[in-house]
Amino acid sequence: MNTSRSNPRRSSSRLRTAAASAAAVALAATGLAALPSSAVAAADGIVVQYRTSASGASADQSEPWLKVRNAGSTSVPLSSVKVRYYFKADSASAAYRFACSWAVKGCANITGTFGTLANPTATADRYLEIGFTPGAGSLAPGADTGDLQLRFHQASWASLIQSDDYSFGPERTTYGDWSKVTAQVNGSLVWGQAPGGNNPTDPPTNPPTDPPGDGARLFDDFNYSSHTDPKISANGWSVRSNPGGPGVPGATWAPENVTFASQSGNSVMNLETSTAGTGASTKHTEILTKSMKFKNGTYASRVRFSDAPRSGPDGDRIVQTFFTINDLKAPMAKDYAEYDFEYLPNGGWGEPANILYTTSWDTYRPDPWEAVNQHSSDRRSYAGWHDLVVTIDDNQITYYVDGQHFGTHGAAFLPERPMSINFNQWLIDLEGQPSTTPRAYDQQVDYVLHVKDQVLTPAQVNAMVGSYRSAGKTFEDTVPGS
């Protein structure tokens, strides 16, 4: 039994936005600003224009209004464009919320994600990254997006200080080119000047390494007949049945709701979570490795998230996950570690709608609640299949979704002890959908891969999984016990 599972990792009062970066605090506290990166101007490409409608040194919310203009000669799909606005957090634990007030392209086609800079400066340790869905279309030569009337605020609605924010321009009350906001196209910096040492396209501190042919690894294609298949235990997995958190009080963890089926030629594991609106009727699901023997290296899985129940009314605050974790031995114990992908299709923890979190945990105290973590997030639908990769080396934790960088978290959150690998699906509470009509949600898992002490790119992960499948090999575990 993984003892950490008997402690509630989450509760309805546990806001995932309580991010804290000790590394950022230490660097920012020095008051030393690094030299800025070289500016990249677009004489024939993407240009970002900026104005603000909240020009005070402090404000209830920051209002960076933007336009993206195509000064080039070829059309640019907006889904390939990322724009970053850099700012200084009001405290190490401050959490922020993004909103789109109005946009010519439609707010439904605008995404906003917060990230933490690897090299904090006196005027920036966070950024707001603006992206576009395919529904935003393309920018023809000479065209612009029109107004993007954007805003963000502290989750607590406490007043925020703008005067020390790198990208803030209090005098910019009409649109004009603004090089303190950067733009990338397909991952390449094409406009602007990032705070020193934080070029969005700088190579990672530790480049990927090719795993040796006999390197220790775990691969499982989840090719099992049912939750009672003896191979599950023999291969090192436990299908959870013991009571306890996280989730709805009184719920059970139902091994029989972990099932397996063939899909597109691969065996797929399905986690079903169901409820009829009461704790007694709620059944959560989880599968985890029996051994905590996984630490640095690459973790990868292909997971299918769901926005709606398979049957019954929608609206429950459900959490769909892939994560690695060890046990909290005491409140605020410094050797705790946890690295999460968590998708909330109907919101929760103060969020009103779908959001994907990646979170790196240093430690926490359950009562009274206190957390030390760092997170990245994206507020949009992630329904469907997704390739999830997280790498841990001696310097940082890096998350990828569908081959794209999602977030990098600092050395303060590196693991000190080995961990288990887990998948679970559970309800935060029963407040999102009060109906007593039965409903059931599915989360599916195609495979899991861990390569010990090796940093792989998403492409290398895909190649390794392809090699296993070409060879007809459905399971391998050569990772030594801790």
Side-chain angles (χ1 to χ4, degrees):
M1 168 182 158
N2 181 354
T3 56
S4 68
R5 299 286 85 222
S6 63
N7 294 319
R9 287 197 309 124
R10 308 284 186 266
S11 72
S12 59
S13 62
R14 181 174 181 176
L15 297 181
R16 297 305 308 278
T17 51
S21 172
V25 173
L27 288 170
T30 65
L32 299 177
L35 294 174
S37 303
S38 299
V40 178
D44 183 27
I46 291 295
V47 173
V48 180
Q49 297 186 323
Y50 161 84
R51 63 159 292 195
T52 182
S53 59
S55 58
S58 62
D60 291 336
Q61 55 189 346
S62 183
E63 298 186 23
W65 291 15
L66 304 173
K67 285 184 182 180
V68 179
R69 180 168 60 89
N70 184 359
S73 57
T74 58
S75 182
V76 177
L78 279 169
S79 60
S80 68
V81 177
K82 299 286 187 183
V83 177
R84 286 188 180 182
Y85 179 95
Y86 302 88
F87 65 98
K88 179 72 174 293
D90 292 85
S91 69
S93 61
Y96 294 87
R97 297 285 190 271
F98 164 77
C100 172
S101 298
W102 186 79
V104 172
K105 291 292 184 180
C107 282
N109 293 315
I110 312 299
T111 64
T113 304
F114 293 100
T116 303
L117 293 179
N119 300 291
T121 73
T123 59
D125 54 17
R126 307 275 186 97
Y127 61 83
L128 168 63
E129 183 171 273
I130 302 301
F132 302 86
T133 71
S138 297
L139 276 185
D144 65 49
T145 58
D147 279 353
L148 305 176
Q149 297 183 9
L150 312 177
R151 55 189 171 90
F152 65 92
H153 58 85
Q154 291 204 63
S156 65
W157 279 106
S159 180
L160 52 78
I161 297 172
Q162 301 189 99
S163 56
D164 61 355
D165 291 349
Y166 175 84
S167 295
F168 176 59
E171 74 285 359
R172 296 280 174 159
T173 56
T174 59
Y175 278 113
D177 295 357
W178 192 239
S179 63
K180 288 190 174 183
V181 175
T182 61
Q184 301 170 70
V185 175
N186 292 322
S188 296
L189 184 65
V190 296
W191 170 263
Q193 182 177 11
N198 292 285
N199 188 327
T201 59
D202 284 343
T205 304
N206 292 305
T209 54
D210 290 326
D214 58 351
R217 64 187 69 165
L218 165 70
F219 173 74
D220 200 332
D221 212 15
F222 295 111
N223 188 16
Y224 303 111
S225 59
S226 72
H227 75 281
T228 60
D229 191 328
K231 290 191 300 180
I232 293 178
S233 180
N235 288 346
W237 295 97
S238 173
V239 183
R240 182 178 176 182
S241 60
N242 59 289
V248 175
T252 58
W253 294 83
E256 68 275 12
N257 285 357
V258 178
T259 57
F260 304 87
S262 179
Q263 188 176 110
S264 301
N266 294 319
S267 178
V268 171
M269 177 172 64
N270 190 80
L271 307 180
E272 177 192 291
T273 293
S274 60
T275 187
T278 65
S281 68
T282 301
K283 294 183 178 181
H284 298 150
T285 43
E286 179 167 31
I287 185 169
L288 63 154
T289 59
K290 292 186 286 185
S291 175
M292 287 192 284
K293 63 177 183 177
F294 308 97
K295 194 180 177 189
N296 285 16
T298 299
Y299 299 81
S301 185
R302 186 167 181 259
V303 177
R304 185 180 185 275
F305 296 128
S306 301
D307 274 357
R310 186 182 70 247
S311 60
D314 196 4
D316 289 293
R317 295 168 180 169
I318 196 160
V319 185
Q320 302 171 344
T321 77
F322 165 45
F323 63 101
T324 181
I325 189 173
N326 60 31
D327 53 328
L328 183 72
K329 292 186 176 296
M332 303 301 287
K334 298 302 291 182
D335 61 351
Y336 177 72
E338 179 181 349
Y339 307 95
D340 301 331
F341 289 92
E342 291 178 309
Y343 180 54
L344 282 62
N346 292 317
W349 298 319
E351 291 291 333
N354 37 27
I355 184 168
L356 176 65
Y357 285 107
T358 60
T359 309
S360 301
W361 290 83
D362 181 33
T363 190
Y364 73 94
R365 173 170 45 220
D367 188 22
W369 177 248
E370 182 179 358
V372 182
N373 61 27
Q374 185 174 355
H375 81 273
S376 303
S377 61
D378 189 12
R379 292 169 175 82
R380 63 184 175 93
S381 173
Y382 275 85
W385 284 104
H386 296 283
D387 295 316
L388 310 178
V389 176
V390 56
T391 65
I392 304 172
D393 58 31
D394 290 332
N395 297 286
Q396 61 193 24
I397 305 102
T398 306
Y399 296 87
Y400 301 87
V401 177
D402 297 330
Q404 300 298 309
H405 177 259
F406 193 89
T408 297
H409 301 163
F413 303 93
L414 292 172
E416 297 177 30
R417 289 190 291 120
M419 302 166 287
S420 62
I421 296 174
N422 303 48
F423 298 89
N424 66 18
Q425 184 180 221
W426 49 280
L427 295 173
I428 297 172
D429 53 41
L430 297 172
E431 297 174 12
Q433 172 52 268
S435 171
T436 57
T437 301
R439 57 267 191 192
Y441 295 82
D442 289 333
Q443 173 188 338
Q444 295 181 326
V445 182
D446 186 8
Y447 72 85
V448 68
L449 173 71
H450 170 70
V451 181
K452 178 179 169 63
D453 296 329
Q454 295 288 327
V455 174
L456 305 187
T457 66
Q460 289 173 320
V461 167
N462 289 340
M464 186 174 289
V465 173
S467 295
Y468 275 111
R469 288 180 165 167
S470 295
K473 195 167 189 176
T474 60
F475 177 80
E476 179 180 39
D477 185 4
T478 58
V479 180
S482 58

